[in-house]
């Protein structure tokens, strides 16, 4: 293994691996450092690629990012499939948003009007039409909106494919923990130095120090450690990304045959629940949103909430076998927008803060990091929006 | 290993192991045959030793069996602890049955009167008194009955201790599957012979044939294979035990500290739910009762039912971490009474059909099999009650 890279990525989730694979594909000497790649939020994610129904549609900058990334997914999936030789279970049958009560129906009408304004394919359906598409839906469903442009993918297959593609394109994977960044101002050591520097006083980033003590040099370091991105040692306070963990519990159920043809979501008891079907009959039910700090316990209450809401949407889920239940930590930001791009620290970039949208935003994030996205998109997720404010 | 035993037990659950250990303790050459001892219904069981609240109290024969076995538990637990050197987490703090509505309260009053008639310790409590005993109980609990004589035990520890005690007292364990019984009428072979004999035409049982083809001789064979006891080859039709699998799903939750001091149960949404606390903070929530054949899938619906009911009783369970969820198959019988004692086939006895009561009834079952229980108890669970009727 070379000990100097053009690009060193801290974090082997769907974001870090996507950037690294795209970089390696272009001939950059690239490495990813992660003790357990693909085991964090990417392992818990459902993989919906549904930019419109996912955001509060007042959040137009986030929506633009989502749409730009959804556009990139077909080519991204095709190239990743080709480079890895693996199947991603990438599907493009759309999302069906359903409504139960008058309030939900009014919200669907608003969403339909908004979608139309954006020029996106969407079809307003009666309850009966919804059940014709998805016979397992509850009889109490009174209407729906079919977002035909939405897609989904199996995030566990995606990280598996990214790891394979990274290796095939010459990228390195270092299964270790990064203890801190190295700068021209010297080695950082211990927590007491973290966040105590001022401005760019720590100098230019020259690489990282592993937990083992080993130093790996890099011309550019990309911090893509999800909810843990704020915990890296050696950064000046202004450069520490303002991410917080937002816990999500998610359940996988198993069915001998497919019970849904597309993603189905709805608002039940005031909280949004979705069911994502896989090709092998698996149905993913997600997800709780909990502000609990770095807590990844699967709780009785989380399970109960998911089961209660899922059976309101599709009563037949009660017959399905329980697969696994996991909790992941999404990297939330103060304005719900990701943090992608250079920081005030020379040599250090970020690709984190993707909250619920990491899988959707992975192709765009790779392009942003490699300079292949337009300036407006780039500006909306620049880390400097927080760093300059202080 | 000797290839002739005084007693050969088919099935290494809590029933089979209890009989075998007690037999070995008396100097009988004893063997248990089970490919995976302790992994069936005993692995799923909660371990409540609560004869009164467990039965519909019109079922007086079953109640008498339960009370007789509860009386035997203190000595059984002490001797098993001594023989194995292991702790069973045996607890004697009683069961608290709680009521929410007027109907439940009336049922508790009836149960209290019945318990008093039997001369058993029981105390009728107000909702406030219940919450004083168990502060985590729901505010909606309006009354309770404390059955102070009830106990409970960890069934997984019990089977572990029985295996250790069996070995220490000289008993053998054969980790294999029994394919059929051997008789003086010759080797039984293939399913086509099962249940086709008439009367005692197959002769005296002389041992068993393993799935490997190996024969193990025994003067007496005890069939204690729980829900699978009806599937043994080589028995005449009249001797096949009328057991059916009754599926139970059960959930273990983890708490850093004990949230309950005793077993708590109640009727929620028409179904009975109980919470059994362990010394290490674990809380067992049980159990569904489903007639599904030999189906041991953990389902979304089973989980949902347990969680829904448990949180009605003790809302704080939602904060607990999910441990494991398993499904077990109880051996049900047509009259809800177990099948313990000799059959019409010479040399073959049964100890099965214990349904929800296997852990409670284990000490009594051992005594029944070894001739140490009174005739009335013995008569009420004789297998001949079904075999003579045909």
């Amino acid at each position: 293994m070379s000990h100097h890279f053009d690009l060193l990525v801290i974090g082997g989730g769907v974001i870090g691996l996507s950037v690294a694979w795209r970089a390696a594909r272009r001939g950059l000497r690239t490495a990813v450092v992660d003790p357990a790649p693909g085991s964090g939020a990417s392992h818990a994610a459902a993989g919906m690629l549904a930019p419109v129904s996912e955001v509060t549609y007042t959040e137009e900058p986030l929506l633009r990012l989502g749409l730009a990334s959804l556009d990139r997914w077909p080519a991204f999936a095709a190239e990743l499939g080709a480079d890895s030789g693996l199947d991603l279970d990438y599907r493009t049958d759309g999302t069906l948003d359903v409504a139960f009560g008058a309030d939900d129906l009014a919200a669907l009408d608003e969403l339909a009007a908004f979608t139309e304004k954006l020029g996106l394919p969407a079809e307003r359906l009666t309850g009966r039409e919804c059940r014709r598409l998805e016979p397992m839906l509850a009889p109490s469903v009174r209407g729906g909106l079919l977002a035909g442009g939405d897609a989904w993918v199996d995030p566990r297959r995606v990280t598996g494919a990214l790891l394979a593609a990274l290796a095939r394109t010459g990228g390195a994977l270092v299964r270790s923990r990064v203890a801190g960044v190295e700068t021209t101002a010297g080695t950082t050591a211990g927590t007491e130095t973290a966040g105590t520097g001022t401005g760019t006083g720590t100098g230019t980033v020259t690489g990282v120090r592993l937990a083992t003590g080993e130093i790996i040099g890099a011309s550019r370091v990309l911090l893509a450690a999800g909810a843990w991105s704020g915990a890296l040692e050696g950064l000046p306070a202004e450069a520490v990304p303002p991410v917080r963990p937002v816990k999500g519990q998610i359940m996988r159920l198993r069915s001998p045959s497919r019970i849904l043809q597309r993603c189905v979501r709805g608002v039940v008891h005031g909280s949004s629940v979705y069911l994502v079907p896989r090709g092998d009959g698996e149905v993913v039910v997600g997800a709780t949103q909990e502000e609990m700090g770095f807590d990844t316990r699967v709780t009785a209450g989380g399970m109960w909430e998911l089961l209660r809401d899922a059976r309101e949407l599709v009563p037949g889920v009660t017959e399905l076998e329980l697969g696994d239940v996991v909790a992941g930590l999404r990297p939330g930001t103060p304005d719900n927008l990701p943090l992608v791009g250079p920081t005030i620290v020379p040599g250090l970039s970020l690709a984190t803060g993707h909250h619920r949208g990491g899988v959707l935003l992975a192709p765009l994030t790779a392009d942003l990091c490699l300079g292949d996205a337009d300036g407006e998109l780039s500006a909306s997720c620049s880390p400097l929006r927080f760093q300059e404010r202080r």
Side-chain angles (χ1 to χ4, degrees), chain A residues 82-103:
Chain A
D83 277 12
S84 67
L86 298 170
D87 172 37
L88 313 178
D89 202 12
Y90 172 63
R91 294 175 181 273
T92 56
D93 306 270
T95 305
L96 180 61
D97 268 276
V98 299
F100 292 90
D103 288 357

Side-chain angles (χ1 to χ4, degrees), chain A residues 45-181:
Chain A
M48 287 182 78
L49 310 176
V52 176
S53 51
E54 184 61 24
V55 303
T56 308
Y57 40 90
T58 51
E59 299 178 292
E60 290 217 19
L62 181 56
L63 177 64
R64 278 195 298 273
L65 294 172
L67 291 171
S69 203
L70 182 65
D71 281 348
R72 285 162 163 85
W73 254 101
F76 185 87
E79 288 165 21
L80 179 54
D83 277 12
S84 67
L86 298 170
D87 172 37
L88 313 178
D89 202 12
Y90 172 63
R91 294 175 181 273
T92 56
D93 306 270
T95 305
L96 180 61
D97 268 276
V98 299
F100 292 90
D103 288 357
D104 301 351
L105 286 166
L108 272 194
D109 286 335
E110 278 182 47
L111 187 58
F114 180 70
T115 311
E116 199 174 330
K117 199 185 93 185
L118 293 167
L120 298 173
E123 194 182 347
R124 195 62 179 77
L125 304 174
T126 64
R128 182 172 299 183
E129 289 166 337
C130 289
R131 280 184 293 278
R132 199 173 300 144
L133 287 179
E134 297 291 352
M136 299 291 281
L137 277 177
S140 50
V141 164
R142 285 177 56 198
L145 181 72
L146 178 64
D150 284 358
W152 71 98
V153 74
D154 183 341
R156 294 179 183 180
R157 288 174 177 250
V158 172
T159 51
L162 285 167
L163 285 165
L166 178 67
R168 287 195 182 184
T169 49
L173 173 68
V174 182
R175 289 181 186 265
S176 182
R177 195 176 66 77
V178 169
V181 293

Side-chain angles (χ1 to χ4, degrees), chain A residues 17-342:
Chain A
L17 290 172
S18 292
V19 179
W21 164 57
R22 301 300 273 189
R25 216 169 187 263
R26 296 201 181 176
L28 294 180
R29 286 168 303 162
T30 306
V32 173
V33 186
D34 193 316
S39 68
S42 304
H43 183 71
M48 287 182 78
L49 310 176
V52 176
S53 51
E54 184 61 24
V55 303
T56 308
Y57 40 90
T58 51
E59 299 178 292
E60 290 217 19
L62 181 56
L63 177 64
R64 278 195 298 273
L65 294 172
L67 291 171
S69 203
L70 182 65
D71 281 348
R72 285 162 163 85
W73 254 101
F76 185 87
E79 288 165 21
L80 179 54
D83 277 12
S84 67
L86 298 170
D87 172 37
L88 313 178
D89 202 12
Y90 172 63
R91 294 175 181 273
T92 56
D93 306 270
T95 305
L96 180 61
D97 268 276
V98 299
F100 292 90
D103 288 357
D104 301 351
L105 286 166
L108 272 194
D109 286 335
E110 278 182 47
L111 187 58
F114 180 70
T115 311
E116 199 174 330
K117 199 185 93 185
L118 293 167
L120 298 173
E123 194 182 347
R124 195 62 179 77
L125 304 174
T126 64
R128 182 172 299 183
E129 289 166 337
C130 289
R131 280 184 293 278
R132 199 173 300 144
L133 287 179
E134 297 291 352
M136 299 291 281
L137 277 177
S140 50
V141 164
R142 285 177 56 198
L145 181 72
L146 178 64
D150 284 358
W152 71 98
V153 74
D154 183 341
R156 294 179 183 180
R157 288 174 177 250
V158 172
T159 51
L162 285 167
L163 285 165
L166 178 67
R168 287 195 182 184
T169 49
L173 173 68
V174 182
R175 289 181 186 265
S176 182
R177 195 176 66 77
V178 169
V181 293
E182 293 288 299
T183 71
T184 49
T187 297
T188 63
T191 46
E192 67 275 16
T193 68
T196 55
T198 56
T200 57
T202 51
T204 296
V205 167
T206 57
V208 301
R209 182 172 34 85
L210 303 184
T212 58
E214 192 186 354
I215 307 286
I216 304 182
S219 307
R220 187 175 156 204
V221 169
L222 179 73
L223 177 52
W228 290 268
S229 299
L232 187 69
E233 290 179 14
L235 298 183
E238 303 92 305
V240 174
V243 289
R244 69 180 197 287
V246 181
K247 179 178 174 180
Q249 298 187 54
I250 195 162
M251 182 185 302
R252 282 167 170 76
L253 304 176
R254 289 192 212 112
S255 171
S257 57
R258 287 189 73 172
I259 67 161
L260 295 173
Q261 301 311 310
R262 51 187 67 68
C263 295
V264 170
R265 44 191 302 161
V267 174
V268 183
H269 300 288
S271 65
S272 172
V273 64
Y274 54 78
L275 285 84
V276 177
R278 303 266 177 248
D280 60 2
E282 184 180 78
V283 177
V284 184
V285 181
T288 67
Q289 289 213 76
E290 306 164 66
E291 302 278 352
M292 300 280 288
F294 287 93
D295 168 9
T296 53
R297 295 177 313 135
V298 170
T299 64
M303 295 280 291
W304 179 76
E305 190 184 307
L306 293 174
L307 290 166
R308 177 197 63 185
D309 296 351
R311 64 188 284 285
E312 295 266 343
L313 234 60
V314 178
V317 296
T318 53
E319 303 304 320
L320 303 191
E321 184 175 4
L322 185 72
D324 70 352
V325 195
V326 295
L329 299 175
R330 311 174 185 96
T333 62
D335 59 4
N336 278 343
L337 285 164
L339 296 158
V340 182

Side-chain angles (χ1 to χ4, degrees), chain A residues 9-11 15-16 19 220-226 229 241 243 331 338-343 348-354 365-366 368-369 381 383:
Chain A
V9 180
I10 304 173
I15 292 293
V19 179
R220 187 175 156 204
V221 169
L222 179 73
L223 177 52
S229 299
V243 289
L339 296 158
V340 182
T343 67
L348 180 73
S349 294
L350 301 183
T352 183
H354 293 79
T365 300
L368 287 166
C369 289
C381 46

